[in-house]
Amino acid sequence: MKTKHILYTPSGVCSRAIDVTADEQDVIQQVFFIGGCNGNLQGISQLVKGQRIDDVIGRLQGIRCGAKSTSCPDQLSEALRQLKNAPLE
């Protein structure tokens, strides 16, 4: 099975990078956050695994963290938008 992968650099949040892989049918295979709130981000990573990219984008985009205009889940939705257009490997 072919996959697509990106290492996304989020902005405006505590995490420093989001490493995400999906298969050729846009099903998320794995997500790793570098930095940020470890327990919460591990939970998010497990919850989105096996989900379709578009479904996750729809659920996570626009979520804010306190007074910030974004959040780690919102930044994951941005990473997934980029992943949709990544080449298959």
Side-chain angles (χ1 to χ4, degrees), residues 1-4 22-27 29 88-89:
M1 175 184 310
K2 293 186 176 188
T3 60
K4 44 189 166 181
D23 68 16
E24 57 198 346
Q25 281 135 6
D26 284 346
V27 174
Q29 300 299 307
L88 290 168
E89 300 173 357

Side-chain angles (χ1 to χ4, degrees), residues 30-85:
Q30 65 180 15
V31 177
F32 296 107
F33 287 85
I34 293 102
C37 303
N38 190 36
N40 290 333
L41 296 175
Q42 283 184 54
I44 290 169
S45 297
Q46 290 301 312
L47 289 170
V48 303
K49 187 175 176 181
Q51 301 296 312
R52 296 193 50 77
I53 288 175
D54 286 332
D55 293 338
V56 174
I57 290 171
R59 290 184 188 120
L60 299 183
Q61 84 178 28
I63 292 176
R64 297 172 54 139
C65 183
K68 296 178 183 180
S69 62
T70 189
S71 66
C72 289
D74 182 55
Q75 290 295 295
L76 175 57
S77 75
E78 293 299 321
L80 292 171
R81 284 182 197 282
Q82 286 188 15
L83 182 63
K84 282 180 65 166
N85 298 317

